Amino acid sequence: MRRAATAALSGGLLLAASPLAAPAQAAPAIPSISAKGGYMVDQATGKAIYGKSNNTRRQMASTTKVVTAITVLTTPGVNLNRKVTVKQAYRDYVVREGGSSAKLQTGDVLTVRQLLSGLMLPSGCDAAYALADTFGTGSTTAARTKSFIGMMNKKAAKLGLKNTKFDSFDGISQGGQNYTTPADMAKMARHAFSSTVLQEVVKATKYVTTATTSKGTKRTYTWTNTNTLLGSYKGAVGMKTGTGTAAGPCLIFAATRNGKTYVGVVLNGTDRFRDAAKLLDFGYGSTTAKSMSLRSLPAGTQRD
């Protein structure tokens, strides 16, 4: 049986040692991960379990969308059934930027709840645009999206995240001023995962829903979750992928086993899903990562 270990962070790396003098038992080996930065915490207590380059600023790509989602969900009086009409501008933006898409169709009417799934599962930049345009304030789309990004930055400041800044509602950064650190993003992820609605959204490997078109007919949307840790690692329950030229492959992850939930982040990792599995194994005292086979995505599914 694995004994509990005390954890301390020193120089950005985790040090683990058994608090018990006898009987002697070696602490589990600190995992080696491909990611340039990583951090994991106990969801219930916020206690740090693992850290690597904890406070080094890095771009985070579409993991930004976790912040987009929780900014929406913590808006006072948020109505998940609020109807939003898809604008052509959202589609044009995805094409112009080469962003990942929920393939929203102009004139379709979806609810905020539906858009959250379109945001988080296929990593829809069009869904992110729709939410920012809907929840920001101002007389123009540009003003509203700028306002929404300001709301994201206020949330980071409220959480005390001094090394985090957003210049984007979806992770597509024009000026490179969309960055965080492993420690900051893990804290943000812990905050986001306290939302039961977000938990419900991000645990789904697939989401099928129906929207009303501009002609009054029905259109079915089917979104596959790009987070292949789900369905591959026992207990995985979220949270969000992200990939960018500057950011590299990134992942915010969460898992629950026997009532214990860990949330974490890996930034710029060539093997991000196995990195996450290794960190979770470290927390749970298991060896799942060694034999884990990643869930396959259907042909044609976007990667992010």
Side-chain angles (χ1 to χ4, degrees):
M1 178 178 178
R2 176 173 177 265
R3 298 186 183 279
T6 56
L9 294 172
S10 174
L13 293 174
L14 180 134
L15 306 176
S18 170
L20 303 178
Q25 182 171 331
I30 298 171
S32 174
I33 61 175
S34 72
K36 293 182 179 179
Y39 205 82
M40 188 174 77
V41 299
D42 184 315
Q43 172 69 11
T45 66
K47 179 182 177 182
I49 305 300
Y50 173 93
K52 176 182 178 182
S53 299
N54 308 331
N55 299 311
T56 300
R57 292 179 177 180
R58 299 187 185 282
Q59 289 201 40
M60 60 193 123
S62 285
T63 59
T64 298
K65 290 169 181 151
V66 167
V67 189
T68 308
I70 196 58
T71 299
V72 168
L73 288 168
T74 53
T75 299
V78 62
N79 176 9
L80 296 178
N81 293 317
R82 179 177 177 178
K83 298 185 185 306
V84 178
T85 301
V86 177
K87 297 178 181 178
Q88 182 64 36
Y90 308 156
R91 290 168 50 83
D92 292 343
Y93 169 78
V94 168
V95 173
R96 184 172 66 250
E97 299 297 335
S100 49
S101 175
K103 302 188 184 303
L104 302 180
Q105 299 299 304
T106 303
D108 283 7
V109 178
L110 295 93
T111 65
V112 169
R113 172 61 182 80
Q114 290 173 315
L115 287 172
L116 286 169
S117 286
L119 172 79
M120 298 300 285
L121 274 65
S123 198
C125 295
D126 44 1
Y129 198 158
L131 290 167
D133 190 23
T134 298
F135 285 89
T137 58
S139 58
T140 65
T141 295
R144 288 189 292 273
T145 53
K146 182 178 180 180
S147 164
F148 186 83
I149 294 167
M151 292 163 62
M152 294 168 67
N153 281 309
K154 287 178 182 177
K155 176 166 287 295
K158 187 175 181 179
L159 290 172
L161 309 185
K162 300 184 183 301
N163 290 304
T164 296
K165 183 178 180 181
F166 303 103
D167 68 359
S168 162
F169 49 73
D170 59 1
I172 298 176
S173 177
Q174 300 299 330
Q177 295 299 301
N178 200 83
Y179 58 79
T180 190
T181 66
D184 272 11
M185 185 50 88
K187 188 173 183 179
M188 177 66 81
R190 180 178 177 235
H191 166 66
F193 207 61
S194 65
S195 165
T196 55
V197 175
L198 188 72
Q199 288 178 28
E200 180 185 356
V201 169
V202 300
K203 73 180 182 182
T205 55
K206 185 171 78 171
Y207 182 79
V208 181
T209 194
T210 303
T212 302
T213 71
S214 59
K215 296 180 179 180
T217 57
K218 298 296 182 182
R219 188 191 314 278
T220 298
Y221 286 94
T222 301
W223 295 313
T224 300
N225 200 323
T226 57
N227 178 11
T228 55
L229 197 67
L230 294 172
S232 306
Y233 185 89
K234 180 183 176 182
V237 288
M239 188 177 306
K240 184 71 188 75
T241 58
T243 303
T245 302
C250 303
L251 179 68
I252 297 175
F253 59 90
T256 299
R257 287 186 183 178
N258 301 320
K260 171 70 74 174
T261 299
Y262 292 118
V263 297
V265 56
V266 288
L267 299 178
N268 203 338
T270 56
D271 199 3
R272 56 184 168 172
F273 298 111
R274 202 160 303 278
D275 284 349
K278 287 180 179 180
L279 297 188
L280 290 167
D281 276 350
F282 182 64
Y284 291 123
S286 59
T287 58
T288 305
K290 293 181 179 180
S291 58
M292 182 180 72
S293 178
L294 288 174
R295 170 175 57 92
S296 297
L297 296 177
T301 301
Q302 297 177 108
R303 267 58 171 181
D304 181 37

